[in-house]
Amino acid sequence: MAELTTYKNYVAGAWRESAGGTFEVRSPGDGSPVYRAQRSTVDDARAAIAAAREAFESTEWRDDAGARATALSKFSAAAQEHHEELATLLTRESGKPYRISRDEALRLSETTGYFAGLTRWIFGRSQIPQPNSISLILREPIGVVAIIVPWNAPLALLARALAPALAAGNAVVVKPASYTAGSTVELGKILEGIPEVPKGIVNIVTGPGDPVGAELARHADVDMVAFTGDTTTGREIMRLAAGNLKKVSLELGGKSPTIVFADANLERAIRGAINAASFYNAGQVCIAGTRVLVEASVHDAFVEQIKEVVPKMKVGPGWEKGVEVGPVISEAQLQKVTGYIEQGKREAVLVTGGHRLTDGALAKGYFIAPTVFDRMRPDAKIAREEIFGPVMGITTFQDLDEAIHIANDSVYGLVAGVWTRDINKAMRIATRVRAGSVWINTFGKMFQSTEMGGFKQSGLGRQYGLEGLFEYTELKHVNIQLEK
Ligand code: NAD
């Protein structure tokens, strides 16, 4: 048998082992070992921060927009060239369908390409506020940015922070989630081959959230932490960051509504609710629209269709052809999701699914039958908490006001979807629902050029687009007094 790859940390342009040893990553699809990675310590996190600080202070990276544009273009091209290897690894480590992994690897390339194009477009302003006085408003990099990423879409979520942080001239330390450390460390190999990126500008350390991520969030020499993950962890990041008042960008959890009016194209709405909102990536998606609000008059027709389609979805490891729903990431996630399913059986009416799948080879992985609950009350636990698994809940509403009320009755505010042929209803929902993105007659569309982020406890700050670039900059006012 081929020996297992052991990934090392990438610090100051060199590959380093940690004194903390290594950990093994096994595929959630069949339990087979995939690779080992460094179980880093606080010392490794500190070494990476020091390397980033040194590179930021001592190289011309921060001032050389041309070099940064070239570097990001080369990164984008290399990610495109290697997208199949990256996608294969992503599917092995996370179990997700290859098609989703491939889209994600390509998204990494597109996002770095988009921000490569913006690198020379980071402008400030100038003005004459008084006679003989000229003011320059400069847009500068923040300094050392720590980027902490979850496992559910590791490459896409890393790219939307890494690319703008680098485009703006920062130095970074990246900490991936342990389940998907390998695909992120592979990016270090790509960056190593790009001469325009000075050593130490990008550092990657793997290992546990606490202490590695916590040290990055706490350390006084880190100027910003860009975090994507659970809302509870986000709150802890903010607390740790308060020590030196570092800037935080938080992309957190959600419990998003998909609102279906009686006048919608029902077939498309059902397909959207199933494929885009609830079961994509086995429901392990921050933007999952798993609170499906259906107008009462079409409720029965909607549920009949769901009963037809959902039980036929193909569940299996992502490397098998035709798989629509992969495993959940881990034993712990399996326990968490099945716990919510048992709760749902007490709170609502089970329509389909509702159990772990263990037939044949599925017994080796963490597979859950796509599950749908009907008659989900808005105050039910399964309606209020993020499940992060293949579970949809259906709630009926009588009119527009009730739909808006239920949609907003959540501590989260990440996204929302609405299906209707009436532009008035669609726009009322779009303007009154408190969420960072609203989709009308579609779900889940995100573009590099359009901002996304959370209202309420779904986060702080925006990713993608110009605002997503400016997150990684500081404004400075320089005033010049002219002699008369
Ligand atoms: P998580 O919060 O457990 O972990 C995310 C990252 O934080 C990991 O790298 C982890 O090692 C690290 N971490 C954990 N504890 C830490 C600590 N004390 N200090 C510093 N770092 C720490 O989240 P997860 O389970 O990996 O991901 C799922 C969550 O991410 C869901 O809640 C999901 O909604 C959210 N998410 C949000 C978005 C978004 O754009 N809003 C996108 C994807 C995922």
Side-chain angles (χ1 to χ4, degrees):
M1 221 172 84
E3 213 184 305
L4 218 53
T5 301
T6 297
Y7 286 108
K8 295 182 183 169
N9 287 333
Y10 184 59
V11 175
W15 295 97
R16 295 192 189 171
E17 288 179 357
S18 168
T22 62
F23 62 90
E24 186 179 77
V25 168
R26 288 178 171 264
S27 177
D30 63 0
S32 61
V34 189
Y35 52 74
R36 302 189 71 83
Q38 303 300 309
R39 187 188 301 280
S40 304
T41 62
V42 166
D43 286 343
D44 298 309
R46 289 182 184 161
I49 295 165
R53 174 61 59 194
E54 168 69 17
F56 181 72
E57 303 292 353
S58 67
T59 69
E60 291 187 341
W61 176 253
R62 57 182 294 173
D63 295 326
D64 196 343
R68 301 201 303 272
T70 306
L72 281 169
S73 298
K74 287 186 181 175
F75 188 27
S76 171
Q80 156 79 35
E81 191 187 327
H82 296 288
H83 78 269
E84 286 179 358
E85 294 119 87
L86 287 170
T88 302
L89 178 58
L90 200 49
T91 283
R92 291 287 313 160
E93 67 187 5
S94 69
K96 65 170 79 170
Y98 180 78
R99 166 183 54 85
I100 298 181
S101 298
R102 187 174 175 277
D103 286 352
E104 194 180 327
L106 289 172
R107 195 165 183 89
L108 162 76
S109 167
E110 285 159 16
T111 303
T112 43
Y114 169 76
F115 284 107
L118 283 186
T119 300
R120 276 183 269 223
W121 286 81
I122 302 177
F123 297 128
R125 299 190 309 271
S126 60
Q127 61 171 274
I128 300 175
Q130 274 181 348
N132 303 310
S133 177
I134 300 177
S135 283
L136 305 176
I137 310 294
L138 303 178
R139 208 175 261 288
E140 297 189 347
I142 292 180
V144 174
V145 179
I147 302 175
I148 303 176
V149 226
W151 44 263
N152 64 318
L155 298 182
L157 299 174
L158 171 61
R160 68 184 193 179
L162 178 65
L166 294 179
N170 298 284
V172 304
V173 180
V174 175
K175 211 276 313 156
S178 296
Y179 297 118
T180 52
S183 56
T184 300
V185 180
E186 284 290 338
L187 303 186
K189 295 188 192 163
I190 292 180
L191 285 156
E192 192 183 21
I194 302 175
E196 287 79 6
V197 182
K199 290 185 188 341
I201 286 294
V202 181
N203 306 277
I204 305 171
V205 275
T206 59
D210 193 3
V212 182
E215 182 62 15
L216 297 177
R218 181 188 297 123
H219 201 287
D221 228 7
V222 172
D223 303 294
M224 172 178 177
V225 54
F227 172 79
T228 307
D230 192 72
T231 294
T232 308
T233 319
R235 214 171 275 127
E236 174 65 4
I237 296 280
M238 211 169 175
R239 197 184 65 76
L240 293 168
N244 69 331
L245 292 178
K246 63 172 68 67
K247 183 172 181 181
V248 288
S249 143
L250 301 174
E251 290 285 328
L252 308 176
K255 188 76 192 178
S256 298
T258 302
I259 304 166
V260 183
F261 282 95
D263 64 2
N265 177 333
L266 218 54
E267 198 187 313
R268 285 175 53 107
I270 288 165
R271 236 184 305 135
I274 293 172
N275 297 326
S278 296
F279 301 121
Y280 184 83
N281 206 23
Q284 301 170 118
V285 189
C286 56
I287 60 167
T290 51
R291 280 195 296 146
V292 180
L293 314 184
V294 182
E295 192 164 1
S297 59
V298 287
H299 166 269
D300 292 356
F302 190 92
V303 173
E304 276 315 304
Q305 275 297 306
I306 292 277
K307 269 191 205 158
E308 264 298 298
V309 180
V310 174
K312 293 185 190 141
M313 295 184 92
K314 184 169 176 193
V315 181
W319 50 86
E320 274 180 17
K321 267 214 162 62
V323 161
E324 293 165 280
V325 181
V328 294
I329 191 78
S330 63
E331 170 76 36
Q333 193 67 12
L334 180 84
Q335 295 306 331
K336 183 179 157 209
V337 176
T338 51
Y340 276 114
I341 289 175
E342 291 312 311
Q343 175 76 20
K345 289 177 185 170
R346 295 189 289 274
E347 292 180 327
V349 176
L350 182 68
V351 173
T352 182
H355 51 89
R356 181 182 182 176
L357 294 171
T358 50
D359 286 352
L362 294 187
K364 292 197 222 153
Y366 307 123
F367 296 97
I368 298 173
T371 297
V372 180
F373 287 105
D374 191 14
R375 314 269 169 212
M376 178 176 78
R377 288 164 48 106
D379 61 354
K381 195 170 155 116
I382 59 161
R384 306 202 75 75
E385 297 181 12
E386 184 182 50
I387 298 176
F388 227 59
V391 183
M392 175 201 286
I394 300 171
T395 304
T396 52
F397 67 87
Q398 301 296 334
D399 57 25
L400 179 84
D401 285 341
E402 193 187 9
I404 292 169
H405 177 78
I406 300 173
N408 282 336
D409 186 14
S410 171
V411 296
Y412 297 112
L414 194 55
V415 304
V418 53
W419 298 83
T420 173
R421 289 194 174 97
D422 181 344
I423 187 69
N424 296 298
K425 280 186 205 155
M427 287 312 295
R428 287 243 151 72
I429 294 283
T431 52
R432 285 175 57 195
V433 168
R434 301 196 61 218
S437 304
V438 180
W439 290 290
I440 300 173
N441 294 329
T442 183
F443 197 93
K445 292 233 171 109
M446 288 182 283
F447 308 98
Q448 276 79 19
S449 53
T450 57
E451 283 74 4
M452 80 157 292
F455 279 37
K456 301 194 268 183
Q457 293 186 33
S458 287
L460 276 183
R462 290 294 176 269
Q463 306 289 329
Y464 291 134
L466 278 180
E467 301 293 338
L469 174 65
F470 294 160
E471 283 284 329
Y472 298 91
T473 64
E474 287 273 25
L475 286 180
K476 181 184 281 173
H477 172 211
V478 178
N479 181 261
I480 308 158
Q481 182 62 48
L482 301 182
E483 286 181 16
K484 285 194 211 152

